[in-house]
């Protein structure tokens, strides 16, 4: 596991923190006083021509100082739920990061190109490395991102910030309150209708854009191997690379159609390893032929659909560059991603304060990642050291200036492509139109792996139980069943039992007539219930769709995107 970190456990009234896109350690305080800005003079704005985003980006880059180029490739976090007004706890956190009090001051001092938002959720595979939150509600996020953009507008590049977050839906979801919650990727895959996936992700993208988020670190393009992957699980669309490719492309079209850049992750594929790159360097033992056949088709499809961003994974591909994390491998990030898959957008590292990326000091790691072909450095463990390492690399030649210019040109091109799009109003969040689009996908995802295929799944009163910590899901299903006309009572009824992410055999109920899996369905192989159902998600709309099936008001057309031992992919669907 990762080393013990200083944790700022933030209550709702306290300030909060921007953390890693996929994860990351809380940084250790730098030795001595914070590193001063390398330039004492006030930066002057660069005048950029209107027109083609790439030409505009090239013109801006040509006028930027080295400090501005270095800042554009950095995407750290900052403490505080406001850009300009934070309390003493958040100010202290920002002083540790960069010697300033507020997020806006951090943007100004380091001339940043981006910032990352995260929220702490206990039932999240990245929870250990996301100990706090700066996401309270959509109104707060919109105000926060507007303040950050105001600070970015005063920098020489005069380009908007890339403001990213991990809004995958399912177990990794940063903004939960007040948004239309999509099913997990695996749930969308179970529905087997890319058009529903695209519509759902367009709704999601519109809501993210309304909050001022410009990059979503989604969709997950990893194809699961036969053993699955504990850290990926239901975040993946499943084990079929062809089906995954169609789903990934649909998600990209939906997100980017709403003006939010989609980020494919975790390249070159995290689904064929059981290791967790938060804590170790996972080994991917696939042959190159197997990688091309199983792992890369969803990435290729997402790239062909126009994905603006690809996120690297800290993975050891023994068939291509053994012992070198893919993030730091020129053979993978340039020879494969750029030359073979023809990706021309922005490559972003997974969190640079994860264990495999901390093999080198922050400055050296920054240079290595850029030289490998990455354009954005996410969550450097020491922001000043990363910036200073880039500047030193320019001076001593270890980082060729054309490589940094190329990276910043790609970043600014992405920014200028979407900068002119109007921001939706917050009233779009949770709209009836979005609810209908997502509910259609949820309804198509419900999968009966054992049990009846028509009519009510139970008769008489129902009692809903759940494994520990799932009271919200339990009460949500109770309300949905009652709305569907099913009698629910606290005890003594036919038992419907819910299990979800992280549950084990001990969390199953031997008394349940129906066992429902609200995450990757592997655990359902051990269930002894006469009826076994997968929803792949615990969102309100997923459980609403489940209630309709239990009540006999709807069929269960879903088909499991992964093999479950001893059970068919569906007892009902073709």
């Amino acid at each position: 596991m990762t080393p013990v970190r200083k944790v700022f456990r933030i209550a709702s009234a306290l300030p909060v923190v921007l953390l890693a896109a996929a994860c990351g350690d809380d940084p250790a305080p730098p030795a001595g006083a914070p590193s001063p800005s390398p330039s004492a003079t006030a930066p002057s704005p660069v005048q950029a021509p209107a027109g083609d985003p790439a030409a505009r980006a090239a013109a801006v880059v040509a006028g930027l100082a080295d400090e501005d180029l270095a800042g554009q490739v950095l995407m750290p976090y900052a403490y505080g739920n406001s850009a300009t007004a934070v309390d003493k706890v958040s100010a202290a956190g920002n002083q540790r990061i960069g010697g300033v009090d507020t997020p806006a001051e951090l943007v100004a001092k380091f001339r940043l190109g981006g910032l990352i938002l995260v929220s702490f959720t206990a039932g999240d595979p990245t929870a250990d490395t996301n100990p706090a939150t700066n996401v309270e509600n959509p109104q707060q996020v919109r105000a926060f991102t507007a303040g950050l953009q105001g600070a970015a507008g005063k920098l020489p590049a005069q380009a908007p910030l890339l403001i990213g977050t991990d809004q995958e839906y399912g177990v990794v979801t940063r903004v939960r309150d007040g948004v239309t919650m999509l099913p997990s990727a695996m749930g969308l895959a179970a529905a087997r209708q890319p058009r529903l996936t695209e519509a759902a992700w367009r709704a999601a993208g519109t809501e993210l854009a309304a909050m001022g988020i410009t990059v979503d670190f989604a969709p997950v393009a990893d194809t699961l191997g036969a053993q699955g992957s504990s850290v990926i699980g239901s975040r993946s669309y499943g084990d079929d690379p062809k089906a995954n490719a169609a789903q990934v492309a649909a998600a990209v079209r939906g997100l980017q159609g709403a003006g939010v850049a989609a980020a494919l992750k975790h390249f070159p594929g995290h689904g064929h390893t059981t290791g967790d790159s938060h804590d170790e360097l996972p080994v991917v033992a696939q042959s190159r032929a197997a990688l091309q056949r199983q792992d890369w088709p969803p990435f290729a499809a997402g790239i062909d659909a126009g994905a603006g961003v690809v996120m690297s994974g800290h993975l050891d591909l023994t068939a291509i560059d053994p012992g070198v994390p893919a993030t730091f491998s020129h053979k993978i990030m340039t020879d494969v991603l750029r030359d073979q898959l023809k990706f021309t957008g922005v490559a972003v590292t997974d969190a640079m304060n994860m264990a495999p990326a901390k093999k080198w000091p922050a400055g050296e790691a920054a240079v290595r990642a850029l030289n490998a072909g990455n354009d954005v450095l996410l969550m450097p463990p020491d922001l000043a050291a990363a910036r200073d390492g880039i500047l030193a690399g320019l001076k001593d030649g270890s980082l060729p200036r054309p490589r940094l210019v190329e990276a910043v040109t790609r970043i600014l091109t992405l920014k200028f492509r979407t900068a002119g799009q109007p921001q939706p109003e917050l009233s779009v969040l949770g709209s009836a139109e979005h609810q209908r689009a997502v509910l259609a996908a949820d309804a198509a995802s419900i999968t009966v792996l054992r049990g009846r295929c028509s009519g009510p799944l139970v008769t008489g009163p129902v009692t809903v139980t759940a494994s520990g910590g799932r009271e919200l899901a339990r009460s949500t299903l109770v309300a949905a069943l009652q709305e569907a006309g099913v009698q629910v009572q606290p005890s003594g009824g036919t038992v419907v039992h819910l299990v979800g992410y992280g549950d084990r055999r001990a969390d199953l109920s031997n008394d349940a007539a129906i066992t429902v899996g609200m995450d990757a369905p592997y655990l359902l192989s051990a269930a002894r219930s006469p009826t076994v159902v997968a929803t792949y998600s615990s969102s309100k709309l997923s459980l609403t769709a489940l209630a309709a099936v239990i009540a006999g008001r709807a069929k269960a057309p879903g088909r499991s995107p992964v093999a479950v031992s001893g059970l068919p992919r569906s007892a009902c669907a073709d």
Side-chain angles (χ1 to χ4, degrees):
M1 298 296 291
T2 50
V4 175
R5 293 167 296 276
K6 288 188 176 181
V7 174
F8 286 80
R9 187 71 67 190
I10 309 297
S12 59
L14 292 179
V16 286
V17 64
L18 291 171
L19 282 184
C23 39
D25 292 339
D26 200 23
S35 175
S37 175
S39 174
T41 59
S44 300
V46 175
Q47 297 300 317
D52 178 64
R56 184 180 177 192
V60 171
V61 169
L64 292 179
D66 289 353
E67 293 89 343
D68 299 299
L69 295 175
Q72 280 293 319
V73 303
L74 298 173
M75 196 175 196
Y77 62 87
Y79 288 91
N81 58 359
S82 165
T84 56
V86 302
D87 74 355
K88 292 181 180 179
V89 176
S90 290
N94 290 324
Q95 284 290 337
R96 293 172 57 241
I97 295 172
V100 296
D101 288 341
T102 70
E105 290 170 342
L106 198 71
V107 170
K109 177 174 179 178
F110 289 90
R111 308 186 191 183
L112 296 177
L115 274 167
I116 186 71
L117 289 75
V118 85
S119 66
F120 173 79
T121 305
D124 181 326
T126 66
D128 286 347
T129 48
N130 294 324
T133 178
N134 81 326
V135 174
E136 296 177 359
N137 55 64
Q139 293 75 19
Q140 170 265 327
V141 173
R142 182 176 172 120
F144 187 23
T145 57
L148 293 172
Q149 295 291 11
K154 298 174 184 177
L155 297 177
Q158 293 192 317
L161 280 177
L162 292 179
I163 300 179
T165 197
D166 284 305
Q167 193 79 350
E168 297 176 14
Y169 299 94
V171 295
V172 177
T173 305
R174 302 303 183 222
V175 189
R176 292 178 175 270
D177 294 339
V179 302
T180 306
M181 288 288 290
L182 272 62
S184 67
M186 196 169 282
L188 289 168
R192 297 175 295 159
Q193 298 185 55
R195 64 178 181 81
L196 296 180
T197 300
E198 182 174 346
W201 273 107
R202 185 176 293 268
T206 302
E207 296 190 2
L208 289 169
M211 291 183 282
I213 293 167
T214 65
V215 181
D216 189 7
F217 293 108
V220 171
D222 303 324
T223 296
L224 294 177
Q227 294 182 327
S229 170
S230 59
V231 72
I232 302 300
S234 63
R235 301 164 67 190
S236 165
Y237 287 99
D239 60 16
D240 182 338
K242 183 177 180 180
N244 290 1
Q247 291 289 334
V248 166
V252 169
R253 290 193 300 268
L255 263 175
Q256 300 208 163
V260 174
L264 311 174
K265 64 185 189 187
H266 309 80
F267 186 78
H270 205 313
H272 282 84
T273 176
T274 57
D276 185 345
S277 57
H278 297 86
D279 308 322
E280 59 181 313
L281 178 60
V283 174
V284 179
Q286 301 275 86
S287 67
R288 188 179 185 110
L291 289 165
Q292 292 184 159
R293 184 175 64 253
Q294 298 173 353
D295 292 82
W296 295 346
F299 289 98
I303 290 168
D304 289 344
V309 180
V310 169
M311 177 185 283
S312 69
H314 303 320
L315 305 162
D316 179 4
L317 265 66
T318 58
I320 297 179
D321 204 355
V324 179
T327 297
F328 302 94
S329 171
H330 190 276
K331 293 179 180 178
I332 294 170
M333 295 306 297
T334 297
D335 296 350
V336 175
L337 180 61
R338 301 292 185 185
D339 298 341
Q340 181 176 336
L341 298 185
K342 309 301 181 185
F343 179 61
T344 60
V346 173
V348 58
T349 70
D350 206 339
M352 293 288 283
N353 56 1
M354 292 164 64
K358 293 169 68 176
K359 177 180 178 180
W360 305 278
E364 181 181 351
V367 170
R368 285 178 176 268
L370 289 166
N371 280 333
N374 296 280
D375 304 310
V376 173
L377 308 177
L378 190 65
M379 292 290 296
D382 185 328
L383 181 59
R387 187 271 317 276
D388 293 346
I390 293 169
L391 295 176
L394 290 176
K395 285 186 178 181
D396 66 21
S398 60
L399 175 60
R401 185 179 177 84
R403 169 75 274 268
L404 184 60
V405 166
E406 178 185 54
V408 177
T409 303
R410 287 174 179 155
I411 293 166
L412 292 180
T413 299
L414 178 64
K415 293 178 178 184
F416 292 148
R417 277 181 181 153
T418 58
Q421 296 193 22
Q423 184 177 9
E425 296 298 325
L426 283 176
S427 57
V428 302
L429 272 71
S431 68
E433 178 184 359
H434 291 178
Q435 297 277 317
R436 285 193 297 271
V438 174
L439 182 58
D442 280 304
S445 74
I446 307 302
T447 306
V448 172
L449 291 93
R450 183 168 61 227
R452 298 180 58 181
C453 296
S454 62
L457 299 187
V458 296
T459 57
V462 165
T463 296
V464 180
T465 62
S467 58
R470 306 198 185 282
E471 177 55 29
L472 177 59
R474 192 199 68 80
S475 60
T476 299
L477 180 58
V478 167
L481 286 168
Q482 291 172 331
E483 181 67 21
V486 176
Q487 182 182 350
V488 183
Q489 57 192 41
S491 62
T494 300
V495 174
V496 177
H497 186 69
L498 305 177
V499 291
Y501 174 75
D503 283 345
R504 302 290 184 266
R505 285 174 177 258
D507 297 298
L508 295 169
S509 170
N510 292 329
D511 299 328
I514 301 176
T515 296
V516 178
M518 301 184 296
D519 190 56
Y522 303 113
L523 179 61
L524 297 179
S525 66
R528 296 294 175 258
S529 302
T531 300
V532 176
V533 184
T535 65
Y536 314 95
S537 295
S538 60
S539 71
K540 181 178 180 180
L541 293 178
S542 287
L543 296 176
T544 297
L546 170 65
V549 171
I550 292 174
R553 293 188 173 190
K555 294 185 181 298
R559 187 175 187 275
S560 176
V562 294
V564 180
S565 178
L567 292 172
R569 298 264 179 159
S570 171
C572 302
D574 295 333

